[in-house]
Amino acid sequence: ASYALGAAPVRGDLANLYEAGDAMVKVPRDPGSNDLLEREAVALRQLPEDGDGRFLPYVPRLLESFRHRDEATGAERRVNAIARLDGFHPLTDVRAAHPDGVDPRDVAWMWRRLLVGLGFAHRAGVLHGAVLPEHVLIHPGRHGLVLVDWCYSVPGCHPDRSGRVPAMVPRRADWYPPEVPAREPAGRGTDIFMATRCMTYLMADRAPKPLRTFARGCLLPARHRRPQDAWRLLAELDDLLERLYGPRRFRPFHLPAIPHTRGN
């Protein structure tokens, strides 16, 4: 397709995102990142092919992936066109709007949905590899969640069979579990570790002791001692939430109007 790019891109970790009608066009700033954009395209194709279609709303929809030659420099870049997400905000916005921490009863639905998204991806044979606050988008009114930026993913069908997360986001180096900087193979517990960090980051000091204990079990340094099954962990979280807050019920969640950065 042809894309008329907006003039003011959103700056992501390694790429610029341009609005183009119903698409967001993701262009790496450095052609050296082409392999990471290609890795994202592989993951976003594998998820609908090998995953349960009921959970596709938890991941972006890849429209197409192609190589583009810069007429001025001759540099070739891998470009991904992704369906635009409207009304979604990254967890960084959510935390900024609640400087003292988000009510754990509101974090509960975000945590549940994040585990659903990871459970879907893991059963499809894909690890996300960078579950960071800016890569988790929520829709406050609809209680929706989308996990974006799959450039750091470990798709089972990728030619690289090392199982390692291919790169780290430097400014978030302290968010990763030990196996990632050690260049060891990642596992499902790698994503669960980082997802848990996102939730404790949201709650700050507002988490009750049982939730803090639950989170500590997901943040153990030894990968093999962490939970490995997001679906099973979701069931355990549901049991804990019911003991803390009673039967599940819908809680409206409103996010104040604040400047935000669209995730990629």
Side-chain angles (χ1 to χ4, degrees), residues 132 168-178 181 193-194 197 219:
L132 298 166
M168 296 171 60
V169 178
R171 60 190 169 79
R172 293 288 194 186
D174 59 344
W175 279 70
Y176 290 83
F193 179 106
M194 301 186 77
R197 282 292 309 273
L219 296 172

Side-chain angles (χ1 to χ4, degrees), residues 77-100:
R77 289 176 170 83
R78 168 64 58 181
V79 176
N80 291 341
I82 297 170
R84 193 175 69 190
L85 296 168
D86 293 320
F88 283 81
H89 300 260
L91 295 188
T92 47
D93 281 7
V94 179
R95 184 68 172 83
H98 297 84
D100 296 326

Side-chain angles (χ1 to χ4, degrees), residues 65-120:
S65 181
F66 54 91
R67 297 188 73 86
H68 174 266
R69 181 183 294 276
D70 188 313
E71 293 182 359
T73 66
E76 284 196 356
R77 289 176 170 83
R78 168 64 58 181
V79 176
N80 291 341
I82 297 170
R84 193 175 69 190
L85 296 168
D86 293 320
F88 283 81
H89 300 260
L91 295 188
T92 47
D93 281 7
V94 179
R95 184 68 172 83
H98 297 84
D100 296 326
V102 182
D103 190 317
R105 292 172 295 176
D106 294 314
V107 172
W109 68 260
M110 303 177 203
W111 203 338
R112 294 190 73 260
R113 281 155 179 72
L114 184 51
L115 288 175
V116 170
L118 289 178
F120 156 68

Side-chain angles (χ1 to χ4, degrees), residues 1-226:
S2 297
Y3 299 95
L5 305 185
V10 173
R11 186 180 177 89
D13 298 326
L14 51 85
N16 291 336
L17 282 90
Y18 298 85
E19 289 198 14
D22 292 332
M24 294 295 290
V25 178
K26 187 171 180 177
V27 183
R29 290 185 292 275
D30 180 353
S33 298
N34 283 347
D35 61 321
L36 299 179
L37 272 290
E38 185 170 355
R39 188 175 285 261
E40 176 176 63
V42 170
L44 293 181
R45 291 189 184 108
Q46 183 176 341
L47 288 166
E49 289 175 1
D50 296 341
D52 187 330
R54 293 175 297 172
F55 303 111
L56 286 176
Y58 286 86
V59 299
R61 180 166 61 90
L62 180 70
L63 301 176
E64 61 176 328
S65 181
F66 54 91
R67 297 188 73 86
H68 174 266
R69 181 183 294 276
D70 188 313
E71 293 182 359
T73 66
E76 284 196 356
R77 289 176 170 83
R78 168 64 58 181
V79 176
N80 291 341
I82 297 170
R84 193 175 69 190
L85 296 168
D86 293 320
F88 283 81
H89 300 260
L91 295 188
T92 47
D93 281 7
V94 179
R95 184 68 172 83
H98 297 84
D100 296 326
V102 182
D103 190 317
R105 292 172 295 176
D106 294 314
V107 172
W109 68 260
M110 303 177 203
W111 203 338
R112 294 190 73 260
R113 281 155 179 72
L114 184 51
L115 288 175
V116 170
L118 289 178
F120 156 68
H122 293 169
R123 285 193 179 173
V126 182
L127 304 178
H128 184 274
V131 187
L132 298 166
E134 54 269 34
H135 298 161
V136 181
L137 309 186
I138 65 156
H139 192 292
R142 298 204 300 260
H143 281 200
L145 182 143
V146 179
L147 188 54
V148 302
D149 200 344
W150 292 78
C151 291
Y152 309 93
S153 63
V154 184
C157 66
H158 195 274
D160 175 10
R161 299 297 182 181
S162 70
R164 294 191 296 263
V165 173
M168 296 171 60
V169 178
R171 60 190 169 79
R172 293 288 194 186
D174 59 344
W175 279 70
Y176 290 83
E179 63 269 18
V180 178
R183 303 295 295 146
E184 298 172 354
R188 296 178 176 184
T190 305
D191 282 347
I192 287 172
F193 179 106
M194 301 186 77
T196 306
R197 282 292 309 273
C198 288
M199 298 300 107
T200 57
Y201 156 81
L202 285 182
M203 292 184 290
D205 295 329
R206 299 188 62 178
K209 184 177 180 180
L211 272 182
R212 294 198 303 270
T213 301
F214 180 87
R216 279 198 299 271
C218 301
L219 296 172
L220 296 171
R223 187 186 62 188
H224 67 278
R225 296 184 61 195
R226 287 179 229 136

